[in-house]
């Protein structure tokens, strides 16, 4: 990375080397070719985003809705984390990985006599002309540093939205109106909002509850993310031999998947869990600094995020040698049986928490069968017992979409206790985790951790496993690994 120079937003003046003399300014601002621009056709997401805006508009008549994309976040001194717009902003605009930082969507109530809806305007920072100093002297947003920004006309055509320069936002928000701001909005935007009701939590809740049911575009994007993730899992299997030769083999696995995520998508949807051996018993092991040893299992929990920002979330547990031991197979197949039992009940009309309950019946039965419970499986399933949960403390399912744990602001009555509806997308991911120092289980079980996770679409009369093409049974996994390694 080249050294940065002075910026209006970053403290680098103590090492600025950009010339400031008039001769340099005249030289750098002349001799640039014109950039011809023809408006693009609207992207596929545009029509779906318009429908979503209409739905949230109908829920808040007469109220100004302000939905910021968010700003760059400092990673260290004058370097920032990669920008990812707020999911609600993307949901309502269709602007994904190419969204501009600091952009703000404003839904302004129609004037009297115009109707009950809203007029949508997208405010963002348009291109700086070559006659400004920004384009060469601002490392945070200048074109010489981060590339050109799209024009207002280009984005308007691309997203099917009216656009305006970000500099006009404060004036637009200064007029009197009630206002709702999505939770997570930056302080600068909140300070601009005029009105007596800056209730961002309500708007965030309503958007989360709308996002519980996916439209056709969203379903296709999740499927694309799943398909890319499947290719990433193939890559990992192909690199497992290399992983066993490295002291930090888990990072070889992580790197193989990340390469696929960047080639076929935007990035990973969340930090990859590449948990080998007893690390698989830690539910969110993302340090990924351990060895990958023959004879152990490796739990890979990973998902590609595509450019629309929809993500997959899939887990497979693989025998590093290519074949399960008898004991590993027994644990693996018990987890698969729990996953299959949960999937079997999914259909519109059930309560979401019933999916978890179906998986737990199998987990309780298996741990009782293996002599791990001091009581019967039926007793353990009682709400005041739950002893089998020692080896699976997490839930079985969560919604999936623009966030890996999607729709988090939805009310419990809509989520955990909500009715499952056609178009919902969620995970099914039971597991069993026998930690290396767990003295309540036989020694041979200690250090074995297994999770199987799939992404499920609810249909009109049942469900489809979007990740079902990725091998799931123990026999299928072994055959899959043989096939990849024989290439």
């Amino acid at each position: 990375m080249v050294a940065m120079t002075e910026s209006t937003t970053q403290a680098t003046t103590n090492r600025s080397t950009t010339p400031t003399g008039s001769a340099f300014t005249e030289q750098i601002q002349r001799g640039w070719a014109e950039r011809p621009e023809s408006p693009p056709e609207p992207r596929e997401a545009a029509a779906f985003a318009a429908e979503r805006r209409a739905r949230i508009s109908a829920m808040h008549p007469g109220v100004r809705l302000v939905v910021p994309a968010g700003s760059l976040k400092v990673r260290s001194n004058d370097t920032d984390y990669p920008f990812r717009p707020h999911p609600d902003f993307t949901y309502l605009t269709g602007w994904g990985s190419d969204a501009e930082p600091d952009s703000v969507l404003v839904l302004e109530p129609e004037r009297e006599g115009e109707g009950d809806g809203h007029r949508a305007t997208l405010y963002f920072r348009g291109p700086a002309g070559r006659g400004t100093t920004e384009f060469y002297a601002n490392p945070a947003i200048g074109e010489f540093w981060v590339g050109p920004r799209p024009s207002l006309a280009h984005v308007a055509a691309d997203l099917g939205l009216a656009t305006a320069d970000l500099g006009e936002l404060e004036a637009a928000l200064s007029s009197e109106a009630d206002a709702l701001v999505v939770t997570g909005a930056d302080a600068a935007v909140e300070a601009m909002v005029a009105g007596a009701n800056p209730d961002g939590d309500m708007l965030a809740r309503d958007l989360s509850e709308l996002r519980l049911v996916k439209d056709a575009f969203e379903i296709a994007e999740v499927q694309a993310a799943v398909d890319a993730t499947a290719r990433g899992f193939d890559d990992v299997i192909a690199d497992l031999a290399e992983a066993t030769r490295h002291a930090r083999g888990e990072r070889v696995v992580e790197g193989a998947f990340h390469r696929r995520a960047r080639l076929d998508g935007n990035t990973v949807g969340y930090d990859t869990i590449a948990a080998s051996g007893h690390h698989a018993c830690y539910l969110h092991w993302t340090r990924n600094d351990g060895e990958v040893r023959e004879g152990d299992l490796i739990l890979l929990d990973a998902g590609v995020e595509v450019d629309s920002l929809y993500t997959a979330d899939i887990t497979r547990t693989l025998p590093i040698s290519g074949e399960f031991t008898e004991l590993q197979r027994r644990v693996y197949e018990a987890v698969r049986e729990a996953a299959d039992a949960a999937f079997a009940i999914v259909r519109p009309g059930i309560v979401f928490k019933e999916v978890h309950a179906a998986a737990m019946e199998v987990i309780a039965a298996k741990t009782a069968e293996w002599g791990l419970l001091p009581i019967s499986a039926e007793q353990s399933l009682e709400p005041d017992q739950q002893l089998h949960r020692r080896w699976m403390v997490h839930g079985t399912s969560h919604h999936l979409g623009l966030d890996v744990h999607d729709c988090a602001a939805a009310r419990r009555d809509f989520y955990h206790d909500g009715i499952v509806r056609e178009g919902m997308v969620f995970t099914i991911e039971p597991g069993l985790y026998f930690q290396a120092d767990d003295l309540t289980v036989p020694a041979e079980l200690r250090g074995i951790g297994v999770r199987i996770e799939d992404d499920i679409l609810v249909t009109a009369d049942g469900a489809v496993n979007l990740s079902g093409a990725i091998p799931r049974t123990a026999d299928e996994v072994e055959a899959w690994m043989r096939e990849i390694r024989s290439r």
Side-chain angles (χ1 to χ4, degrees), residues 47 122 227 243 296 336 350:
L122 176 60
D227 294 344
D296 284 345
R336 183 181 65 83
I350 67 166

Side-chain angles (χ1 to χ4, degrees), residues 345-357:
I345 74 161
V346 177
R347 64 185 184 280
I350 67 166
V351 179
F352 185 68
K353 63 185 177 184
E354 293 177 23
V355 179
H356 174 73

Side-chain angles (χ1 to χ4, degrees), residues 211-222:
R211 285 167 50 190
L212 283 166
V213 174
K214 271 56 181 178
D215 57 38
F217 174 82
E218 294 179 287
I219 292 167
E221 291 299 295
V222 172

